[in-house]
Amino acid sequence: MFGMRGRIFGAKKIHEIEEKVEHIHEDVEHVLRSHSGDEELSSHLKEIDEHLHELIADSKSLESGVPLGLLSAGDEGVVLGYCGGRGVAKRLLELGFTPSSRVKVISGSPGLLVDVKGSRIALGRGIAMKILVDLDGR
Amino acid sequence: MNLKNIGLYSALIGGITAIIGALEVIFVFTGTDSWIPADLFGGLALLVIAAVYLSGNGELISKQEEGLSFALTGTILTMVFGSLYTLIMGTDYLMYLLGEADEFLIITELRPEILLLVATLPLARYLIKREE
Amino acid sequence: MAGEKETVIRVALIGNPNVGKTAIFNNLTGSRQHVGNWPGVTVEKKTGRCTHREIEMEIVDLPGTYSLEADAIDERIARDYIIDEKPDVVVDIVDASNIERNLYLTLLLLELGANVVVALNKMDIAASKNYEFDIEELSLLLGVPVIPTVATTQSGMGELRDAILSAAVRREKHRKVTIGYSDDIEARIKEVEELILTDTYLANTYPPRWLAIKLLEKDESVMDRISSSPKRDQILEVTRRVEVNADTFAEERYRAIDRILHASLAGRRDHALTTSDLLDRVFLHKRLGIPVFLILMWATFQFAFTVSEPFMVMLERVFGWLGGLLGDPTTPLISLWADGICGGLGFVLVFIFPIMFLFIALAILEDSGYLPRAAFVMDRLMYRIGLHGRSFIPMLMGFGCNLPAIMATRSIGDEKDRLITILINPLMSCGARLPVYVLIAGALFGTYAGSAIFSMYVLGIVLAILMALLFRRFIPGLRGKPAPFIMELPPYARPAIKSVLLYMWSRAVVFLKKAGTILLGGALVLWFMASFPWGREIESSYAGILGHTLEPLLAPLGFDWMAAIALFFGFLAKEIVVETFGILYGVGGEDAITGAVAAHMTPVTGLAFMAFTLIYLPCLATLGMVKAETGSWKWTGFMVLYQLVLAYVVAGIIVLTGNLITGVL
């Protein structure tokens, strides 16, 4: 059932991202060394560097995630995050799908009915695939 | 009643519902005149209800509480259709009193759906008790 | 805000969808708005008044909303009212049985600095879940009064009124309790807030802390609000610099809620499978969901059509008797009474019964909580055809009347989704079209009448789907993907008889009002046209002349001149189609008119006529609503055009294939 995982947020892809970030990191270091006098530039660059590493950390935590849409009735999980636009994320957050909240699937596929914070939320399949959860006991 | 018995009973009702539903549909095409009416949509409705009952059987017989969903919903649907035809029976009687209908025969008015409603009463009783 | 004592206290009711806002509004004001068990019943604000302890309150019921960030129009109405109108007291209605999610809005209101009174509603349901609230503690932690209520039994209403009054008197500007964020975030809020305080206009118009938080959350409509500020660039610059991940705010608010509930609520045990969940496993089942929906709809129309029959017969006889009171229609005056009023208007009035029964069934479906499920089940189909699942609710409401249905599209966030839903909504067969089907199907299809009527409803749905698909693909302004489906499903509930009857009666009143105005007027005009010049045959009356002029247009479909007039006047209101037949055939009683219909139409043309009536034009009132809601003559005109063409094409197809089949058999 989770055969699709590899294709969506597989270890391979994360690895590729990591490599690319490492490249950028090297470039940044290089620029920093050659422009050591310019303080504004170096502070900006350091910030970019930090963001990049945060990105890797984020993607690593997402690595263990499964799209909610792949769960079936009875499964439970913990929300890790979303992929997708601001508008959707906003709606999900106000409905209680905050990171680290528990969700339980009441009725599954192709749309889902889930329990989150005691209320029942119906999610279309499209949106359910954009919510990443961590399965229990994994 | 325990879950397994509920499962067996709803399988029985589901089976009967399916047979009557199938006959109602078939009779539309064969033109058979019988106590079971020839009614295409009515028959299809019964087939759907039968499918609901039968879908929960695996779970109930293996004593999973989730299987009650199907028995519960099936019972509600049988109630809806049974009440509908009971109401229609009353209406037909009124029409007869008004002189709009030539005859009022209890045999044609007592649709199988109404009898199925009676047959699900034990299930309904169990489910209401459980709810309380 | 200026005067020492205002005579009227302005109170706003706000809350998540489906928390019992309308019920509390009814309790407070004594009005009788229908309470629906689905989100989006209240799409515009309603106002009522009440007097408590000799002080007058004006109470505004706002549309349900989850947050104060407005995507859909109904949410924007709620939010703008709180921000711009600044009501004296905001009553935040919180569903006690679903408190965690509900308190989110409460926190937002507190952040906004509103003068909040929390009504902790549905305490009975919470009690059945074994929730035990420490009300005092909750009130202390939130820093506002908390009043437990049960809207359905009116309990707690007196206390709520008292709390509103004392809150209005107190009207403290700065509450002592603030729900804080983590130190890091607070520091950033502070920085933006200080900058805002340097612009006196902004600082006086909005609570500075709220403004700072909203800016950090990148709320677009708030960005608009500061666009005229001289400090705008500076503010935006700082906001960008101290950037906070916008999700953090939501996360931290829920963390705060967790803390509050931890201290004030005992007995919470989540994740138990409720009876609602058991039902949803079937009603939302991947294979059974749609068939179950279809058979329930079929039962609904069977009920509306068959059970109402004897009542129609009875009322018809009353009108037949009334019409005969003055003797034979030999003078214009007697004819006006017998043919115009009793034969025309009376004939339409009879159809109040199928309408009443239809709404009993729809009210039961709605109050039980099934309708949002139907929307969700259909979403899969809807999404595939490029429509949003939320569109399905206005579509279902269209079965009742297209007018409120088109208003209900306000709950659809995406403009394109909304426009498409409006455009196809009139294809949902409304209650006014039912009389036409009942008459014609009853005359031509005998025992299959119920199924023939059902098929019209199905035809409407199918056409709506096809049109949505076409519009999405070929109309430049409507291309794109539908917004995703996210919706809270309320728990199932046993429908209360009183509420069902109230709903039915409110729809019956709408029909009666229509009968007293537009249908009466239609009957008079039609009677005049059919009877004058006095003494002539109906063929050469004004109606006959008009009908014969229109006839060539519709002749290819097999409609005669009487059908042409019926359709012509049916534009005013669809019931007039039936009224026209009543007057033109010049015979009383359903039996006689049924016979006349059977003489004028074959089953094939009858079916085509029903389909044409379904599609050809929405009624005048609906067109007005479409213009109002789209704000565009272009789209309104487009709607008229496509429906006329579609009606002609579909009726043509029915006639062609029908004749082919009957020719072969």
Side-chain angles (χ1 to χ4, degrees):
Chain A
M1 167 179 179
F2 301 117
M4 283 178 76
R5 227 189 91 213
R7 250 183 295 153
I8 299 171
F9 285 100
K12 195 176 165 198
K13 201 161 180 202
I14 302 267
H15 186 65
E16 281 168 12
I17 296 173
E18 234 173 314
E19 263 176 22
K20 275 180 194 157
V21 168
E22 214 40 58
H23 275 302
I24 301 173
H25 178 68
E26 275 163 27
D27 289 348
V28 168
E29 296 272 285
H30 181 75
V31 176
L32 275 178
R33 254 177 274 129
S34 54
H35 292 76
S36 50
D38 191 337
E39 286 214 356
E40 202 183 332
L41 180 72
S42 62
S43 84
H44 273 301
L45 281 176
K46 273 179 188 156
E47 211 173 298
I48 292 174
D49 204 34
E50 250 169 58
H51 280 311
L52 280 172
H53 282 100
E54 273 169 28
L55 209 67
I56 292 186
D58 279 355
S59 51
K60 271 186 178 160
S61 79
L62 289 182
E63 190 186 356
S64 59
V66 174
L68 182 59
L70 291 182
L71 271 57
S72 47
D75 291 350
E76 281 184 55
V78 173
V79 176
L80 289 175
Y82 324 101
C83 26
R86 283 292 302 141
V88 169
K90 201 134 234 182
R91 201 10 53 121
L92 287 170
L93 284 169
E94 64 192 43
L95 284 172
F97 286 88
T98 48
S100 80
S101 47
R102 299 194 64 80
V103 290
K104 179 178 178 182
V105 179
I106 306 286
S107 159
S109 82
L112 291 187
L113 178 66
V114 299
D115 171 308
V116 60
K117 299 192 196 304
S119 55
R120 301 288 182 270
I121 312 286
L123 299 168
R125 181 180 164 74
I127 178 93
M129 295 302 285
K130 288 184 179 159
I131 303 174
L132 290 175
V133 295
D134 187 15
L135 287 177
D136 273 358
R138 281 169 47 93
Chain B
M1 281 203 271
N2 61 28
L3 287 178
K4 195 175 174 189
N5 286 346
I6 296 279
L8 292 175
Y9 193 73
S10 61
L12 181 71
I13 292 197
I16 299 173
T17 308
I19 292 168
I20 295 175
L23 287 177
E24 286 193 15
V25 174
I26 292 168
F27 287 173
V28 172
F29 297 102
T30 57
T32 313
D33 198 18
S34 127
W35 161 73
I36 292 174
D39 181 349
L40 182 62
F41 286 105
L44 288 176
L46 285 183
L47 287 177
V48 172
I49 298 175
V52 170
Y53 277 117
L54 298 175
S55 301
N57 261 284
E59 285 176 331
L60 276 175
I61 288 172
S62 58
K63 297 191 179 167
Q64 281 175 289
E65 205 175 7
E66 280 92 338
L68 278 178
S69 321
F70 296 91
L72 178 63
T73 317
T75 309
I76 291 174
L77 291 174
T78 307
M79 293 277 172
V80 168
F81 278 82
S83 322
L84 174 67
Y85 286 110
T86 312
L87 277 173
I88 290 179
M89 179 160 75
T91 339
D92 285 347
Y93 187 63
L94 266 178
M95 289 298 270
Y96 171 70
L97 287 184
L98 287 167
E100 293 282 324
D102 298 331
E103 53 177 17
F104 180 80
L105 294 174
I106 200 79
I107 188 83
T108 54
E109 292 296 334
L110 202 64
R111 299 257 312 205
E113 287 86 348
I114 299 177
L115 300 179
L116 281 171
L117 168 73
V118 177
T120 53
L121 287 179
L123 264 184
R125 190 166 153 266
Y126 169 82
L127 291 166
I128 290 171
K129 261 193 171 168
R130 187 186 160 273
E131 179 70 353
E132 280 159 3
Chain C
M1 287 266 173
E4 276 194 358
K5 219 175 191 182
E6 279 171 31
T7 39
V8 181
I9 298 175
R10 291 177 311 127
V11 181
L13 302 186
I14 195 167
N16 286 181
N18 221 54
V19 292
K21 262 190 325 297
T22 307
I24 287 193
F25 177 77
N26 285 351
N27 289 348
L28 291 178
T29 61
S31 68
R32 291 175 161 205
Q33 299 287 353
H34 174 68
V35 179
N37 190 13
W38 75 15
V41 168
T42 314
V43 289
E44 55 178 351
K45 49 179 192 272
K46 288 179 210 132
T47 312
R49 276 169 181 269
C50 78
T51 312
H52 185 60
R53 299 193 198 281
E54 292 170 8
I55 293 176
E56 209 176 343
M57 307 188 213
E58 186 191 68
I59 298 176
V60 177
D61 183 18
L62 295 171
T65 177
Y66 291 109
S67 72
L68 295 172
E69 268 147 59
D71 292 332
I73 296 175
D74 53 346
E75 293 180 346
R76 206 172 307 154
I77 292 172
R79 168 227 176 99
D80 289 350
Y81 187 82
I82 304 279
I83 295 178
D84 297 329
E85 305 283 321
K86 298 194 176 66
D88 298 322
V89 180
V90 174
V91 178
D92 173 26
I93 297 155
V94 166
D95 179 351
S97 66
N98 187 3
I99 182 145
E100 194 169 353
R101 227 274 322 294
N102 274 248
L103 281 184
Y104 188 79
L105 179 65
T106 314
L107 291 200
L108 293 176
L109 287 168
L110 294 177
E111 229 160 56
L112 184 53
N115 191 9
V116 176
V117 170
V118 170
L120 198 56
N121 197 28
K122 300 199 184 179
M123 283 300 278
D124 49 343
I125 298 175
S128 73
K129 280 179 149 181
N130 294 322
Y131 284 15
E132 283 171 42
F133 284 97
D134 182 342
I135 303 283
E136 264 175 51
E137 183 68 23
L138 185 60
S139 165
L140 202 71
L141 289 170
L142 291 171
V144 295
V146 175
I147 314 296
T149 59
V150 181
T152 42
T153 61
Q154 305 224 359
S155 104
M157 288 304 133
E159 291 87 336
L160 184 58
R161 285 194 186 99
D162 285 342
I164 293 172
L165 279 193
S166 47
V169 173
R170 207 174 52 235
R171 204 183 285 167
E172 46 191 333
K173 260 229 144 181
H174 295 285
R175 291 176 323 101
K176 289 164 201 84
V177 188
T178 1
I179 314 289
Y181 296 94
S182 57
D183 297 344
D184 172 40
I185 306 259
E186 283 293 340
R188 299 182 198 203
I189 294 174
K190 196 91 205 142
E191 195 169 340
V192 181
E193 192 181 345
E194 265 157 22
L195 191 58
I196 290 168
L197 284 172
T198 59
D199 178 338
T200 36
Y201 170 75
L202 281 185
N204 289 333
T205 319
Y206 308 105
R209 180 182 160 82
W210 172 79
L211 203 55
I213 294 172
K214 287 294 134 182
L215 288 171
L216 286 170
E217 280 191 283
K218 301 180 193 68
D219 186 310
E220 275 169 29
S221 61
V222 170
M223 301 270 191
D224 291 345
R225 282 169 192 262
I226 65 156
S227 60
S228 59
S229 162
K231 306 268 177 178
R232 192 191 128 211
D233 293 335
Q234 242 178 304
I235 293 176
L236 288 183
E237 158 66 28
V238 172
T239 315
R240 215 169 297 133
R241 187 161 48 78
V242 300
E243 190 186 33
V244 180
N245 183 0
D247 302 357
T248 317
F249 284 97
E251 257 185 274
E252 295 218 359
R253 282 183 201 122
Y254 272 110
R255 222 166 283 155
I257 291 170
D258 225 36
R259 279 198 303 276
I260 292 172
L261 289 182
H262 194 72
S264 61
L265 174 59
R268 206 143 59 101
R269 188 171 48 92
D270 276 340
H271 302 303
L273 216 55
T274 62
T275 308
S276 268
D277 295 338
L278 286 182
L279 289 171
D280 275 336
R281 291 191 67 225
V282 185
F283 285 125
L284 302 181
H285 194 274
K286 58 181 162 193
R287 281 184 305 276
L288 295 171
I290 291 179
V292 166
F293 166 68
L294 287 177
I295 68 171
L296 282 176
M297 288 323 270
W298 183 75
T300 300
F301 295 116
Q302 203 67 12
F303 172 75
F305 175 66
T306 316
V307 180
S308 60
E309 239 177 334
F311 302 98
M312 293 171 69
V313 170
M314 285 186 242
L315 189 60
E316 214 162 79
R317 289 189 186 172
V318 171
F319 278 113
W321 174 76
L322 282 175
L325 275 185
L326 299 180
D328 282 337
T330 43
T331 69
L333 219 57
I334 300 178
S335 167
L336 173 66
W337 170 250
D339 300 330
I341 305 291
C342 293
L345 183 65
F347 187 55
V348 185
L349 272 179
V350 163
F351 291 93
I352 193 169
F353 290 108
I355 289 170
M356 281 164 84
F357 280 87
L358 179 67
F359 279 103
I360 288 180
L362 286 181
I364 292 174
L365 283 179
E366 179 178 332
D367 288 1
S368 68
Y370 177 69
L371 285 192
R373 269 80 184 178
F376 184 45
V377 163
M378 293 305 281
D379 177 59
R380 293 161 205 170
L381 278 181
M382 305 285 277
Y383 189 84
R384 214 166 294 161
I385 62 166
L387 257 188
H388 187 240
R390 243 175 207 270
S391 309
F392 194 68
I393 288 179
M395 303 285 275
L396 271 177
M397 286 176 86
F399 284 143
C401 176
N402 300 127
L403 218 62
I406 286 172
M407 278 181 81
T409 60
R410 290 181 182 184
S411 66
I412 301 170
D414 185 90
E415 262 319 293
K416 287 178 190 171
D417 290 354
R418 178 159 181 262
L419 198 54
I420 291 186
T421 314
I422 291 176
L423 285 176
I424 60 173
N425 197 283
L427 293 173
M428 297 287 103
S429 194
C430 69
R433 281 169 253 196
L434 187 63
V436 183
Y437 308 150
V438 173
L439 174 69
I440 295 186
L444 301 171
F445 294 97
T447 48
Y448 294 103
S451 299
I453 295 172
F454 177 64
S455 72
M456 279 301 121
Y457 284 83
V458 174
L459 175 68
I461 297 173
V462 171
L463 286 175
I465 291 172
L466 284 178
M467 286 301 119
L469 212 60
L470 284 177
F471 293 163
R472 235 341 154 197
R473 192 144 308 166
F474 295 111
I475 309 280
L478 299 174
R479 282 205 195 115
K481 269 198 163 178
F485 187 96
I486 313 173
M487 189 170 161
E488 187 187 8
L489 298 185
Y492 290 96
R494 209 165 292 172
I497 293 175
K498 193 181 147 205
S499 158
V500 168
L501 293 181
L502 206 68
Y503 188 46
M504 178 269 283
W505 183 240
S506 71
R507 298 307 312 184
V509 168
V510 170
F511 179 75
L512 287 176
K513 275 187 188 152
K514 209 170 173 186
T517 52
I518 196 165
L519 297 186
L520 177 63
L524 293 180
V525 170
L526 279 166
W527 166 80
F528 177 80
M529 291 187 64
S531 314
F532 287 89
W534 183 252
R536 289 230 211 134
E537 283 293 302
I538 192 152
E539 289 269 341
S540 49
S541 68
Y542 296 130
I545 296 165
L546 176 65
H548 284 294
T549 319
L550 295 172
E551 194 178 6
L553 284 176
L554 295 170
L557 303 176
F559 302 161
D560 63 6
W561 65 272
M562 294 188 186
I565 298 184
L567 291 172
F568 184 78
F569 285 101
F571 169 56
L572 294 174
K574 298 267 169 144
E575 294 96 331
I576 293 185
V577 172
V578 168
E579 205 168 63
T580 314
F581 285 127
I583 290 172
L584 290 189
Y585 290 153
V587 280
E590 199 191 0
D591 280 347
I593 293 182
T594 303
V597 170
H600 280 84
M601 286 183 187
T602 65
V604 173
T605 47
L607 210 58
F609 186 79
M610 279 157 64
F612 199 89
T613 311
L614 164 70
I615 308 162
Y616 81 111
L617 271 184
C619 66
L620 193 61
T622 304
L623 266 190
M625 182 58 81
V626 170
K627 167 67 183 59
E629 291 292 313
T630 60
S632 143
W633 282 113
K634 196 185 83 187
W635 286 118
T636 315
F638 171 72
M639 179 166 177
V640 169
L641 199 71
Y642 100 77
Q643 291 188 329
L644 280 174
V645 173
L646 185 66
Y648 211 89
V649 170
V650 171
I653 291 173
I654 291 177
V655 169
L656 278 179
T657 49
N659 284 344
L660 217 63
I661 292 169
T662 47
V664 170
L665 290 178

